[in-house]
Amino acid sequence: MSVIQFTVPPLPHYIASGLSLLSAGQKHPSRQNIDVFDLLLVDKGCLYMGEEGRSYEVSEGHALILRPDSYHYAVADCKEDTLYHWVHFQTSSSWSIETERCGEHFCSGDDRPGYMPASAFSTWTFSVPVPQFTKVVQPQKLSDTITELTDLNRSLHISGAKLRQQTLFQEVISLLSASIGMNGPSPQSICAERAASYLREHYKEQFSAKRLGESINFHPVYIARCMQKVFGCSPAAYLQRYRIEQSKLLLLQSNYTVERIAEEVGFNHPAYFTASFTKIEGLSPRKYRQRFAWINQ
């Protein structure tokens, strides 16, 4: 497995991101020396990519990082509709490609056993290994994090939004790095990912912890514990956040009333929807629409 070794600090930094859909028969563009790393995470379908003579089938739940100094290209058209996130990032520090393991870990620079900085005031750098191509251990969590990262592009005029993006991007790096050396996802991750997928698929329906447990064959108490560990929230809170994300799309892309949008995303009471939206976003649905609708015009 090829691993990209980043020497930090400074940390790799976020530049831009988005969500793209390729229909069957389309393919990812070919580019050379684009001067940024290009992370691809596939939510649905498969990308058939090549870089420097190596081919990759980036299917659902897999991630590929295309290098800034290489030629990458599509080796085949998509065989089905393919939905994927892309994230452009860069680092002002050194990085390298490692293909062999040194003991249990990749070793380079100041990570070497027994290494000490020249003085107490020297910068202590270390290496962060990130797989160039991997099956992601927590694909839904990574997808959610990138979605939040991209959604913040609408809020860059708000104080703290850019800092929040850089913080989220470090979480992206951590999630990718966690895929190295893993024989597979933990039982807790499997449970949480299945629960998240079910909630996203059935977000318009009334929430029932019992029905969730029956659907994915885990006890509701165990599901709640796993989701708290993996996503940092309960199943009900995860569902509410996802409903709010869907409502934001409708606020910007439709002429539906707030009451209609509340119903469309699974809220039974418009007043509760408005209160929940305001608590999470810091402004009401109507003010959100007024503030951001012009961006999509």
Side-chain angles (χ1 to χ4, degrees), residues 33-295:
N33 299 332
I34 61 173
D35 293 328
V36 295
F37 291 94
D38 187 5
L39 165 64
L40 306 176
L41 173 69
V42 174
D43 273 355
K44 177 185 177 182
C46 186
L47 292 173
Y48 301 90
M49 299 298 301
E51 182 183 76
E52 300 298 316
R54 298 187 64 178
S55 298
Y56 304 92
E57 291 189 9
V58 194
S59 57
E60 181 177 338
H62 286 71
L64 171 67
I65 298 177
L66 300 168
R67 292 163 47 183
D69 61 342
S70 301
Y71 172 55
H72 60 255
Y73 46 90
V75 297
D77 296 342
C78 294
K79 296 180 174 62
E80 57 186 316
D81 290 351
T82 298
L83 184 68
Y84 68 96
H85 299 273
W86 56 267
V87 181
H88 291 169
F89 68 97
Q90 189 51 280
T91 180
S92 57
S93 186
S94 62
W95 61 276
S96 62
I97 297 288
E98 306 286 345
T99 56
E100 296 181 1
R101 287 194 176 276
C102 176
E104 291 298 318
H105 306 281
F106 283 90
C107 301
S108 77
D110 300 359
D111 265 350
R112 291 169 294 180
Y115 180 89
M116 293 294 291
S119 75
F121 301 103
S122 297
T123 300
W124 186 305
T125 60
F126 57 96
S127 60
V128 175
V130 178
Q132 184 174 11
F133 177 61
T134 188
K135 179 174 176 58
V136 180
V137 174
Q138 296 179 16
Q140 192 62 68
K141 184 174 183 179
L142 181 56
S143 179
D144 289 349
T145 303
I146 297 177
T147 297
E148 185 177 355
L149 185 68
T150 301
D151 285 346
L152 280 169
N153 287 329
R154 300 191 182 101
S155 310
L156 294 182
H157 61 288
I158 298 176
S159 176
K162 291 183 179 180
L163 177 59
R164 176 60 179 160
Q165 280 190 317
Q166 297 302 330
T167 302
L168 284 170
F169 180 64
Q170 300 316 314
E171 178 67 14
V172 170
I173 293 294
S174 295
L175 288 168
L176 289 171
S177 185
S179 299
I180 295 178
M182 301 293 290
N183 294 324
S186 67
Q188 293 87 353
S189 294
I190 292 174
C191 175
E193 290 282 338
R194 289 181 181 175
S197 295
Y198 175 87
L199 292 171
R200 292 166 74 95
E201 184 176 352
H202 299 274
Y203 73 94
K204 295 184 179 182
E205 303 171 11
Q206 184 175 357
F207 173 70
S208 167
K210 180 180 178 181
R211 186 163 61 247
L212 171 62
E214 291 172 347
S215 298
I216 66 173
N217 297 317
F218 287 105
H219 193 279
V221 174
Y222 181 69
I223 294 173
R225 190 184 309 129
C226 292
M227 291 204 72
Q228 186 66 48
K229 180 177 181 180
V230 174
F231 292 101
C233 63
S234 67
Y238 182 93
L239 176 60
Q240 185 182 69
R241 289 193 322 208
Y242 186 72
R243 285 172 169 171
I244 295 299
E245 288 302 315
Q246 296 306 301
S247 74
K248 286 159 65 177
L249 295 177
L250 291 176
L251 285 166
L252 298 179
Q253 298 174 4
S254 77
N255 293 320
Y256 292 167
T257 64
V258 170
E259 291 74 17
R260 169 73 182 279
I261 290 174
E263 181 182 353
E264 287 289 327
V265 300
F267 283 89
N268 293 328
H269 304 288
Y272 179 56
F273 164 66
T274 297
S276 300
F277 190 101
T278 304
K279 181 178 180 180
I280 292 175
E281 295 297 322
L283 70 171
S284 71
R286 285 186 173 86
K287 288 184 177 179
Y288 182 90
R289 169 176 271 169
Q290 292 169 359
R291 179 173 293 184
F292 299 117
W294 63 270
I295 296 177

